[in-house]
Amino acid sequence: MQNFQYYNPTRIIFGKNTIAKIAEHIPEHARILMLYGGSSAEKNGTLGEVRFALAGRTVQEFGGIESNPTYETLMQAVEIVRREKLDFLLAVGGGSVIDGTKFVAAAVNHISDPWDILTTHGVNVTQALPFGTVLTLPATGSEMNSFSVITRSETREKLGFASPRVYPSFSVLDPTKTFTLPLRQVANGVADSFVHTIEQYLTYPADAMVQDRFAEGLLKSLVEIGPKVITERENYDLRANFMWIATLALNGLIGAGVPQDWATHMIGHEITARYDIDHARTLAVVLPSMLRIRKEAKRAKLLQYAARVWNLHDGTEDERIEAAISNTEGFFQSLEIPTRLSAYEIGPDAIDGLIAQLNVHGMTALGEKQDVSLDVSRRVLEAAL
Ligand code: NZQ
Ligand code: ZN
């Protein structure tokens, strides 16, 4: 196992009717900005519950944070926080609202141009406002991690940052708040959390016994509940399990002390930035080809994945590996998520542009061994057409 530091200060408040408790977790004299997305949180009553729980407190509101939150919109929130001297943020929504709130938290008192936070991937973040979250979409793990991904619409760039200063101080996870999710978003959440687990697990053996078993438990649970959690909209137990799985898939625990890949995510972000395809859907397109192209480097873990997650024990090594990759594709397809670029009418002429974007963003040596060069990324995209 590799050396590691494991740190996670986020308090989780999980279960039905837990929004009522948020006031206990926000300092009494805090001047709060509640941030949210489009209309979903208003329509399903989540915002109403938050307003009720914070009655009597100083609360202002900022709505309109988009999916793939933009720098341009978030800078408007930064201005409000500065002007109104607000000092606590509360994100109500999915990964986009939470990521956006992390950016606002770090940008408000940032000493130079806030876009630097993204171009330096967070290394220059020395402070951030405290914030909490009310999660409405299980998918990204943003509710218990220190990552954020922001899009600049002007330049069609999608960049991430990480900083220990942007862990939420608390996150409320009420599974009933997911009942109103469109089926497409639930499917996206299943696929995203599946790929988060894969990116930290399917690398090379690192003698990390419990991280492997834990990752396999998350993957098997997702396979077990995947299609059901989508169709059984108001099944509390399924939604509760799914919500906790998605959080655990990217809260740092399974990634501690093990090599991590993330090449699929980095290529996926470029696809979203150029073609506006949902984050999770880009991953379902890239991952199967990524695994096939990098089969030799990942051979030992692919065999372990085949045996322990998919119970594949017969046939040659290559047959078991191919069966595991096709099962992965089949799993995404069972969620009605396509696994080819052609499903989005993206053809071979798109590849040069995507590779150029990876190059501009320094994504030239990706993966657990930094051996995913632009040439390898090109082959992955070609195989995903
Ligand atoms: O905007 P509203 O009206 O709220 O609607 C949202 C949005 O249209 C809707 N929604 C959310 N909760 C709902 C609901 N609709 C009905 N009922 C509810 N309870 O769902 C739509 C998608 O929301 P969004 O927040 O964009 O989705 P997601 O949580 O998948 O977040 C995606 C963003 O997170 C980033 C992605 O790149 C993308 O920008 N990621 C963040 C990560 C992190 N912070 O660790 C890691 C991930 O790999 C990912 O990159
Ligand atoms: Zn993701």
Side-chain angles (χ1 to χ4, degrees):
M1 204 186 302
Q2 300 172 350
N3 292 359
F4 67 88
Q5 282 193 15
Y6 180 68
Y7 170 75
N8 197 316
T10 305
R11 180 184 312 144
I12 296 294
I13 303 143
F14 191 99
K16 284 178 194 161
N17 304 321
T18 40
I19 292 178
K21 299 185 200 297
I22 52 178
E24 294 167 26
H25 303 284
I26 301 178
E28 202 181 329
H29 299 293
R31 295 174 56 77
I32 304 165
L33 182 66
M34 177 170 84
L35 301 99
Y36 58 95
S39 54
S40 75
E42 186 76 73
K43 281 197 205 136
N44 70 11
T46 310
L47 290 184
E49 283 185 39
V50 173
R51 289 184 190 119
F52 186 75
L54 295 178
R57 301 290 194 100
T58 304
V59 187
Q60 300 203 21
E61 300 188 5
F62 182 85
I65 298 178
E66 319 85 337
S67 275
N68 307 309
T70 67
Y71 172 78
E72 289 84 351
T73 299
L74 297 167
M75 285 308 292
Q76 296 170 25
V78 168
E79 286 311 315
I80 295 172
V81 173
R82 287 178 179 155
R83 190 178 67 228
E84 303 292 323
K85 302 196 172 13
L86 306 176
D87 56 18
F88 194 96
L89 308 179
L90 182 64
V92 182
S96 293
V97 174
I98 301 176
D99 281 10
T101 300
K102 290 175 177 177
F103 175 75
V104 174
V108 165
N109 294 313
H110 190 68
I111 31 144
S112 53
D113 176 3
W115 185 245
D116 290 353
I117 296 172
L118 280 314
T119 53
T120 61
H121 304 297
V123 287
N124 61 355
V125 174
T126 53
Q127 51 66 49
L129 291 182
F131 67 96
T133 87
V134 175
L135 181 68
T136 62
L137 197 181
T140 62
S142 190
E143 66 279 5
M144 200 179 178
N145 72 33
S146 58
F147 310 122
S148 164
V149 191
I150 304 297
T151 297
R152 191 160 187 162
S153 5
E154 196 194 343
T155 51
R156 282 198 166 263
E157 282 172 288
K158 183 169 186 183
L159 299 178
F161 80 96
S163 166
R165 320 263 170 195
V166 297
Y167 279 101
S169 57
F170 67 84
S171 285
V172 173
L173 277 57
D174 178 346
T176 66
K177 293 292 161 269
T178 72
F179 290 172
T180 54
L181 277 168
L183 305 188
R184 171 196 181 93
Q185 295 300 341
V186 184
N188 284 353
V190 172
D192 195 18
S193 41
F194 191 90
V195 182
H196 292 160
T197 310
I198 291 277
E199 298 258 39
Q200 299 162 90
Y201 163 75
L202 223 169
T203 56
Y204 55 84
D207 191 25
M209 292 172 66
V210 81
Q211 291 89 327
D212 276 7
R213 295 282 187 195
F214 201 159
E216 287 152 2
L218 295 174
L219 294 169
K220 288 180 80 131
S221 303
L222 286 167
V223 169
E224 187 176 328
I225 66 172
K228 270 188 287 179
V229 79
I230 296 172
T231 48
E232 296 183 24
R233 190 184 281 276
E234 301 212 356
N235 184 329
Y236 179 83
D237 291 324
L238 279 179
R239 290 291 168 103
N241 277 292
F242 172 42
M243 208 168 202
W244 190 224
I245 290 166
T247 301
L248 291 168
L250 196 52
N251 74 346
L253 193 58
I254 61 168
V258 299
Q260 301 190 14
D261 186 341
W262 299 111
T264 295
H265 266 72
M266 294 307 118
I267 296 176
H269 287 169
E270 300 299 355
I271 299 175
T272 300
R274 279 180 91 88
Y275 299 102
D276 241 351
I277 297 171
D278 295 353
H279 169 65
R281 289 171 183 255
T282 67
L283 306 177
V285 163
V286 176
L287 182 73
S289 305
M290 182 70 78
L291 297 178
R292 288 196 176 99
I293 298 285
R294 293 167 66 201
K295 182 170 96 171
E296 288 317 318
K298 290 181 179 288
R299 178 171 284 272
K301 269 314 203 30
L302 277 166
L303 287 166
Q304 183 177 323
Y305 172 62
R308 293 196 192 169
V309 176
W310 295 108
N311 295 318
L312 294 163
H313 303 284
D314 300 328
T316 65
E317 282 191 5
D318 284 337
E319 283 165 356
R320 278 177 274 149
I321 289 173
E322 180 46 37
I325 298 173
S326 341
N327 283 2
T328 309
E329 268 175 322
F331 177 58
F332 294 141
Q333 287 159 3
S334 75
L335 308 171
E336 296 190 12
I337 299 184
T339 52
R340 294 276 150 191
L341 284 168
S342 55
Y344 303 99
E345 288 165 18
I346 297 178
D349 51 329
I351 294 180
D352 283 345
L354 290 166
I355 296 295
Q357 288 282 102
L358 284 167
N359 193 24
V360 168
H361 298 139
M363 304 292 168
T364 53
L366 300 171
E368 63 271 19
K369 289 186 177 155
Q370 292 82 50
D371 57 356
V372 181
S373 60
L374 291 179
D375 183 51
V376 176
S377 294
R378 178 181 290 280
R379 283 194 284 134
V380 169
L381 286 166
E382 282 167 357
L385 284 169

